[in-house]
Amino acid sequence: MKRGLFAVASFAAIFGWQAASAAGVDKLYVLDCGHIAAVDQSRWSPGVNVGVPIELSDNCYLIHHAQGWFLWDTGIPDAVAALPDGVKGANGALTLIRAKTLAGELQGLGVKPADITSIAVSHTHPDHIGNMELFPEAMLYVQKAEYEWPSESGAPRFNPKHPVTLLEGDRDVFGDGSVVIISTPGHTPGHQSLLVRLPKTGAVVLSGDAVHFKDNWDNRRVPSFNFNKEETLASMQRIADIMAREHAQLWINHDKPQTDGQKKPPEFYD
Ligand SMILES: [Zn+2]
């Protein structure tokens, strides 16, 4: 018995989060965290489909692990759900809409905000961090480069009182390889993606905004407003390498056709 434990420990020590996981994760829910209507797709695909409108999904992902609930991204602010026409963003180029609140979706699953013990966000654009303070006690995992990235207004990107763990690279959240934050800078300075190893579904990479829809992934297109084009391309390649190694699916947060085809609560992936 002792020898077996030692062997497992050594394996994990040598291979880090790349070791096959003990799969403490057992549920992944795709939550509706809003909707984005844009007047011009080429905002994300320079020179392609110029002037053509596009609809984007905006998901949050709720993960249950034996050690607790973990939330990936927090979406458009719940307050937007009270505005039937949504709110305009990016100088009128986008309309952000919420059909339901994150608080309500969690309640529907019998999960209280206080049950969520940790959160990670892909990056600090407003369609991903809108409900951080619904979870004032939850540990936030974010890259140091994102946390410290100066905002246009000069205001801090997060409530300075919010518990935070600043990362400089990848992080195996629960220590068993089942939920791993992957550093994928480029869209923003400290952008990150998430590898989830589910017992039945297998490995899934949650894109964040490393890519916005499948056609951009297939053609390796980089939105003109990204922070760093070369880093974005390197991060896309990094995700492709992880997908090949893990035989992983890529779930693209803003790809509405893909999202429309996914299970919705109370259904989940296991
Ligand atoms: Zn986004």
Side-chain angles (χ1 to χ4, degrees):
M1 187 66 187
K2 252 185 184 168
R3 192 169 160 183
L5 282 174
F6 178 75
V8 169
S10 303
F11 188 75
I14 292 164
F15 294 101
W17 60 263
Q18 296 185 22
S21 86
V25 62
D26 60 1
K27 291 189 184 83
L28 188 165
Y29 293 93
V30 181
L31 304 183
D32 174 1
C33 267
H35 180 93
I36 299 169
V39 297
D40 184 354
Q41 185 205 294
S42 70
R43 172 181 179 78
W44 295 280
S45 56
V48 175
N49 284 345
V50 177
V52 177
I54 188 170
E55 306 282 320
L56 303 178
S57 50
D58 188 8
N59 301 325
C60 303
Y61 301 86
L62 178 67
I63 295 171
H64 185 256
H65 186 281
Q67 294 177 38
W69 289 99
F70 172 88
L71 184 66
W72 173 250
D73 277 342
T74 69
I76 292 168
D78 272 1
V80 173
L83 311 170
D85 297 328
V87 288
K88 298 279 184 199
N91 298 320
L94 312 170
T95 304
L96 309 179
I97 300 158
R98 264 206 97 116
K100 35 183 136 175
T101 62
L102 176 56
E105 287 182 273
L106 294 173
Q107 192 177 29
L109 292 170
V111 178
K112 294 189 289 294
D115 294 338
I116 294 174
T117 50
S118 48
I119 295 179
V121 292
S122 57
H123 64 298
T124 52
H125 284 159
D127 52 323
H128 297 264
I129 58 163
N131 296 297
M132 276 301 304
E133 291 313 306
L134 195 56
F135 315 97
E137 307 293 329
M139 177 55 71
L140 166 66
Y141 293 93
V142 62
Q143 300 292 321
K144 185 167 182 281
E146 191 77 9
Y147 194 87
E148 295 178 351
W149 181 28
S151 67
E152 273 178 39
S153 69
R157 287 179 180 269
F158 295 96
N159 179 345
K161 291 181 182 151
H162 198 107
V164 65
T165 300
L166 297 179
L167 307 178
E168 294 178 82
D170 300 344
R171 175 72 167 233
D172 179 350
V173 176
F174 296 107
D176 63 1
S178 61
V179 179
V180 184
I181 295 166
I182 308 288
S183 171
T184 51
H187 182 60
T188 60
H191 185 277
Q192 52 191 14
S193 304
L194 194 73
L195 169 65
V196 187
R197 291 188 177 109
L198 290 158
K200 292 184 189 158
T201 306
V204 173
V205 174
L206 304 181
S207 63
D209 285 7
V211 62
H212 291 76
F213 38 85
K214 186 173 182 297
D215 194 48
N216 267 10
W217 172 255
D218 292 341
N219 292 284
R220 293 293 190 272
R221 292 194 201 105
V222 177
S224 55
F225 63 94
N226 272 21
F227 181 74
N228 185 306
K229 182 175 181 179
E230 295 313 311
E231 283 185 359
T232 304
L233 289 169
S235 290
M236 288 168 112
Q237 187 57 49
R238 180 159 197 234
I239 289 171
D241 291 345
I242 290 168
M243 287 168 64
R245 192 187 71 216
E246 301 280 335
H247 307 290
Q249 305 173 45
L250 179 62
W251 289 7
I252 303 176
N253 188 330
H254 288 309
D255 188 308
K256 188 170 183 299
Q258 186 187 42
T259 297
D260 286 348
Q262 292 179 323
K263 291 182 193 175
K264 298 292 157 14
E267 285 191 272
F268 57 84
Y269 291 89
D270 60 359

